[in-house]
Amino acid sequence: MWQLLLPTTLLLLVSAGMQAEDLPKAVVSLEPQWNRVLEKDNVTLKCQGTSLPEDNSTQWFHNGKLVSSQDSSYFIASVRVKDSGEYRCQTLLSTRSDPVQLEVHNGWLLLQASQWMYKEGDCIHLRCHSWKNTPLHKVTYLQNGKGKKYFHQNSDFYIPKATAKDSGSYFCRGLLGSKNVSSESVNITIIQ
Ligand SMILES: *[C@@H]1O[C@H](CO)[C@@H](O)[C@H](O)[C@H]1NC(C)=O
Ligand SMILES: *[C@@H]1O[C@H](CO)[C@@H](O)[C@H](O)[C@H]1NC(C)=O
Ligand SMILES: *[C@@H]1O[C@H](CO)[C@@H](O)[C@H](O)[C@H]1NC(C)=O
Ligand SMILES: *[C@@H]1O[C@H](CO)[C@@H](O)[C@H](O)[C@H]1NC(C)=O
């Protein structure tokens, strides 16, 4: 990586007495936040790492392979199942990030969660996401097979303060037109 550094950057680093191991680790975040998405969703990956303005130095890796985007935001329009996997980024002045896992699913409905493991007292945020955001109504969120929350019009479901009792297997279902559809189940775990 050092041979790629611009002379001015190198000077800056040397004068600051910086070593490669002093560089911070880049961080990948997703926008929107969901790490499970449906085909045709739009996903933006953002790389937070120190970079010089306009240096176009961001490198993106999908399953370890360098992808062409050099922008600090990597926009994937209309994701496909093949876009699933591990994403990492790196910038001129940061080391390679930890991976972020993206899962692209095929189906009518997908239960999304802001996290899969929560601490007691955290706010659980669930979303019953329909393919291409097709209007969904008479929506039920179920925990361990029992209805937990009903919405006439599809809405996100928030549990403001998670307790151990909120651990379990969740799915959602509702009507797409007159079609009764269900998501797959996912496990949510509350740790103490
Ligand atoms: C993705 O973006 C395109 C263009 O802005 C938009 O037409 C489409 O509805 C978006 N897809 C979803 C699933 O929101
Ligand atoms: C970075 O990319 C922008 C837009 O693509 C371009 O205008 C600029 O010249 C590039 N900067 C460098 C240092 O290559
Ligand atoms: C969808 O089907 C399930 C049984 O498979 C039923 O319990 C539920 O009431 C149906 N939902 C609606 C909104 O009709
Ligand atoms: C959810 O947890 C149950 C019980 O711990 C396990 O049997 C099941 O395989 C898990 N399901 C998923 C989708 O991970």
Side-chain angles (χ1 to χ4, degrees):
M1 173 186 147
W2 289 98
Q3 64 276 19
L4 299 176
L5 290 179
L6 305 171
T8 46
T9 315
L10 202 51
L11 255 176
L12 217 125
L13 287 173
V14 169
S15 63
M18 268 181 103
Q19 304 289 320
E21 57 267 30
D22 294 332
L23 294 175
K25 204 186 250 191
V27 176
V28 177
S29 59
L30 285 166
E31 269 190 30
Q33 63 180 306
W34 320 112
N35 72 339
R36 305 172 86 221
V37 298
L38 285 172
E39 280 215 319
K40 302 259 172 123
D41 282 345
N42 301 316
V43 172
T44 302
L45 295 134
K46 298 219 155 158
C47 186
Q48 288 150 350
T50 317
S51 69
L52 305 171
E54 302 267 316
D55 72 0
N56 302 339
S57 73
T58 307
Q59 291 183 309
W60 285 100
F61 301 88
H62 177 215
N63 295 330
K65 279 170 66 182
L66 191 64
V67 297
S68 59
S69 173
Q70 294 187 318
D71 202 79
S72 60
S73 292
Y74 178 28
F75 177 66
I76 312 175
S78 203
V79 291
R80 311 302 301 265
V81 169
K82 68 175 170 54
D83 296 313
S84 293
E86 208 176 82
Y87 288 86
R88 293 175 194 255
C89 74
Q90 177 174 351
T91 69
L92 200 52
L93 296 180
S94 64
T95 58
R96 199 170 298 185
S97 68
D98 289 330
V100 159
Q101 209 72 33
L102 184 70
E103 277 178 32
V104 183
H105 292 255
N106 219 323
W108 285 109
L109 275 193
L110 182 76
L111 186 69
Q112 297 174 313
S114 52
Q115 301 173 125
W116 306 104
M117 270 205 232
Y118 293 92
K119 290 199 288 289
E120 268 193 13
D122 283 354
C123 177
I124 301 177
H125 178 189
L126 303 177
R127 178 176 185 235
C128 189
H129 174 42
S130 58
W131 186 57
K132 298 207 277 182
N133 295 315
T134 312
L136 183 73
H137 56 281
K138 297 195 173 167
V139 179
T140 307
Y141 289 83
L142 300 95
Q143 178 194 8
N144 300 330
K146 280 167 51 183
K148 190 168 170 97
K149 185 76 186 177
Y150 172 82
F151 292 105
H152 192 69
Q153 296 299 331
N154 193 13
S155 303
D156 288 11
F157 175 31
Y158 295 89
I159 301 171
K161 284 204 163 86
T163 67
K165 283 188 203 144
D166 297 312
S167 285
S169 164
Y170 285 77
F171 75 98
C172 66
R173 69 177 175 222
L175 297 180
L176 274 175
S178 57
K179 195 199 298 270
N180 185 335
V181 290
S182 296
S183 73
E184 286 171 23
S185 294
V186 290
N187 287 335
I188 302 245
T189 307
I190 317 299
I191 50 175
Q192 296 189 329

